[in-house]
Amino acid sequence: MATESPATRPVQVAEHPRLLKLKEMFNSKFGSIPKFYVRAPGRVNLIGEHVDYCGYSVLPMAIEQDLLIAVEPVKTYTLQLANTNPLYPDFSTSATNIQIDKTKPLWHNYFLCGLKGIQEHFGLSNLTGMNCLVDGNIPPSSGLSSSSALVCCAGLVTLTVLGMNLSKVELAEICAKSERYIGTEGGGMDQSISFLAEEGTAKLIEFSPLRATNVNLPSGAVFVIANSCVEMNKAATSHFNIRVMECRLAAKLLAKYKSLQWNKVLQLEEVQAKLGISLEEMLLVTEDALHPEPYSPEEICRCLGITLEELRTQILSPNTHDVLIFKLYQRAKHVYSEAARVLQFKKICEEAPENMVQLLGELMNQSHMSCRDMYECSCPELDQLVDICRENVAINLALQKYSPFHPSKAQGWTANYL
């Protein structure tokens, strides 16, 4: 098991109606009683959009909505997965031969990601079988990290069944890496906050090494998570991975421009670190080095002095081989400016000026505009929702794009033995 915390202490099923219902459904499904339950929350990111996989800090917090898994280890080598939601069909496979289909991001593949991550971390060839029943109230494809919560739950389930020990930080790093088995080139924000969240505080999540710092939000401020009703499964399309690749290519061109060893650079943060300059100065370097017009693969090759074959085989991911244009200037501008906003947000929370809510709101407005215009990860429905809120609600309405949940009592993962 992971490091013990108050959240992992034993609880009585009778005291938790949802667990009691899950226990009854498990018994009906498998004809037995679960041995333990695992929980992982969803998350909302206050600021720091699409910068974690570029090496920069983010500022999320967990929400109350979560995933629960009831688990029973079995003596066979069969893994049986079921879901309380009838939209997600049952799945069964051999625990000795875990195969993850990247072409179809079906729900059970996220569970397999977490399982395989723990298996490979400990170098195990075979795993014991288990029966698992999943129950979740995080809306899927809504940007609240339901998929990552399932990966985290699966990792914790596997760790618990094996009787192994890892810290929360180690678990978060393994689950962040293993979610890439599904085909998305994401960072580690979702998994980190799912494991490291604490009630009553947001977290500044930093990477390399992974660490989390409490960020106390203004007293009396309310963060409303509103739903634009637009769903996006990032593993089901190439949009997410194209932007990841655009950031990677931008980093290489910036490194080449500044006479750095560009072929070793993968993240925009690495360029800043190697140059030893501020984020504001990196924005100026971006202005000098990159042009706003989209880059073709051929132009990128000319800039780097490589062939198209080398670009495809050594840099591009399989699902970006056929991309015809890359917007490097826009992606780099968003990442460097957004990374600066995260630090400004934390500083305002620490200094607590009288107008701190207004200042935080202004940063979040800037974040949305950059996501809309420079990173192009917004949508008309979300833009309209933002406009409506700005026109009709006071400045201390901090807006995100999801559903009207209440994150104030959220906390991190749990593994409860009953």
Side-chain angles (χ1 to χ4, degrees):
M1 262 192 63
T3 304
E4 187 72 14
S5 73
T8 64
R9 291 172 184 164
V11 297
Q12 298 300 316
V13 175
E15 298 174 1
H16 296 75
R18 188 173 163 208
L19 285 180
L20 181 59
K21 182 179 180 181
L22 186 59
K23 177 182 177 181
E24 293 171 349
M25 295 180 71
F26 188 98
N27 188 28
S28 175
K29 182 70 179 179
F30 297 110
S32 54
I33 302 299
K35 295 298 185 290
F36 64 92
Y37 301 79
V38 162
R39 170 186 177 269
R43 67 99 184 102
V44 61
N45 190 28
L46 300 181
I47 198 163
E49 295 297 328
H50 293 278
V51 300
D52 57 338
Y53 51 77
C54 295
Y56 285 109
S57 304
V58 291
L59 215 158
M61 60 182 173
I63 59 175
E64 288 182 314
Q65 284 63 36
D66 58 24
L67 281 177
L68 292 174
I69 302 183
V71 187
E72 177 196 23
V74 294
K75 294 182 180 180
T76 67
Y77 290 101
T78 300
L79 171 66
Q80 294 193 85
L81 302 178
N83 200 301
T84 60
N85 188 332
L87 292 177
Y88 303 112
D90 293 354
F91 175 78
S92 179
T93 188
S94 170
T96 63
N97 184 29
I98 300 301
Q99 300 291 327
I100 299 172
D101 187 355
K102 292 184 178 182
T103 64
K104 297 179 180 179
L106 301 174
W107 77 276
H108 62 262
N109 282 320
Y110 291 97
F111 186 99
L112 297 180
C113 284
L115 185 150
K116 187 174 181 179
I118 297 298
Q119 179 189 28
E120 294 194 346
H121 177 79
F122 289 105
L124 303 174
S125 57
N126 295 321
L127 292 175
T128 185
M130 62 183 92
N131 297 329
C132 299
L133 179 60
V134 178
D135 179 65
N137 56 15
I138 309 171
S141 303
S142 64
L144 292 172
S145 295
S146 59
S147 299
S148 295
L150 180 53
V151 174
C152 291
C153 261
L156 187 54
V157 164
T158 308
L159 188 71
T160 306
V161 168
L162 292 173
M164 301 291 193
N165 293 295
L166 289 172
S167 70
K168 294 180 183 180
V169 168
E170 289 173 315
L171 265 171
E173 290 178 326
I174 290 169
C175 289
K177 180 181 177 181
S178 67
E179 189 165 337
R180 296 170 192 158
Y181 294 142
I182 202 73
T184 53
E185 298 290 331
M189 171 178 64
D190 301 346
Q191 302 81 7
S192 298
I193 193 62
S194 191
F195 282 113
L196 303 176
E198 294 181 54
E199 184 174 351
T201 181
K203 292 278 188 178
L204 179 76
I205 305 292
E206 301 171 90
F207 304 96
S208 300
L210 176 62
R211 56 199 181 276
T213 305
N214 288 351
V215 176
N216 294 321
L217 300 172
S219 176
V222 176
F223 289 80
V224 176
I225 309 171
N227 193 355
S228 67
C229 299
V230 176
E231 295 186 356
M232 171 61 75
N233 184 329
K234 65 185 181 184
T237 70
S238 60
H239 302 308
F240 182 88
N241 282 346
I242 289 173
R243 286 168 175 77
V244 174
M245 186 53 59
E246 286 172 325
C247 291
R248 187 173 300 173
L249 291 169
K252 290 183 179 297
L253 263 66
L254 289 172
K256 180 70 179 292
Y257 178 79
K258 299 299 288 187
S259 301
L260 300 175
Q261 194 173 1
W262 64 266
N263 58 320
K264 300 292 185 181
V265 170
L266 294 176
Q267 297 178 323
L268 287 165
E269 187 276 338
E270 294 177 64
V271 182
Q272 183 199 357
K274 290 179 184 297
L275 294 177
I277 61 179
S278 69
L279 286 163
E280 289 73 21
E281 289 172 307
M282 279 308 309
L283 286 167
L284 296 177
V285 172
T286 301
E287 291 282 354
D288 291 338
L290 303 177
H291 55 68
E293 296 76 25
Y295 286 74
S296 66
E298 291 78 9
E299 183 178 6
I300 291 171
C301 290
R302 289 196 298 271
C303 292
L304 296 179
I306 60 176
T307 66
L308 274 173
E309 181 64 19
E310 289 172 323
L311 177 67
R312 290 193 176 98
T313 59
Q314 299 177 22
I315 299 177
L316 297 182
S317 57
N319 56 3
T320 58
H321 280 178
D322 298 324
V323 177
L324 298 178
I325 61 170
F326 297 93
K327 297 185 178 181
L328 309 188
Y329 170 89
Q330 292 83 351
R331 308 316 184 220
K333 288 276 286 187
H334 167 77
V335 169
Y336 288 130
S337 62
E338 185 76 353
R341 283 187 285 270
V342 171
L343 301 180
Q344 293 166 12
F345 194 102
K346 178 177 181 287
K347 183 179 180 181
I348 292 169
C349 288
E350 292 173 340
E351 296 178 350
E354 289 186 4
N355 62 337
M356 68 181 299
V357 172
Q358 179 178 350
L359 294 174
L360 297 179
E362 289 173 355
L363 286 175
M364 296 181 77
N365 285 340
Q366 293 169 19
S367 176
H368 174 73
M369 288 187 287
S370 184
C371 285
R372 180 192 66 198
D373 300 334
M374 303 303 288
Y375 216 75
E376 299 177 283
C377 59
S378 185
C379 62
E381 294 84 355
L382 174 56
D383 296 337
Q384 183 181 19
L385 181 58
V386 171
D387 291 340
I388 291 171
C389 291
R390 286 177 181 161
E391 291 170 2
N392 296 280
V393 187
I395 189 67
N396 65 346
L397 172 63
L399 181 68
Q400 288 288 313
K401 67 179 180 181
Y402 314 110
S403 300
F405 301 143
H406 305 283
S408 59
K409 296 182 180 179
Q411 55 186 353
W413 62 276
T414 64
N416 292 321
Y417 290 93
L418 307 174

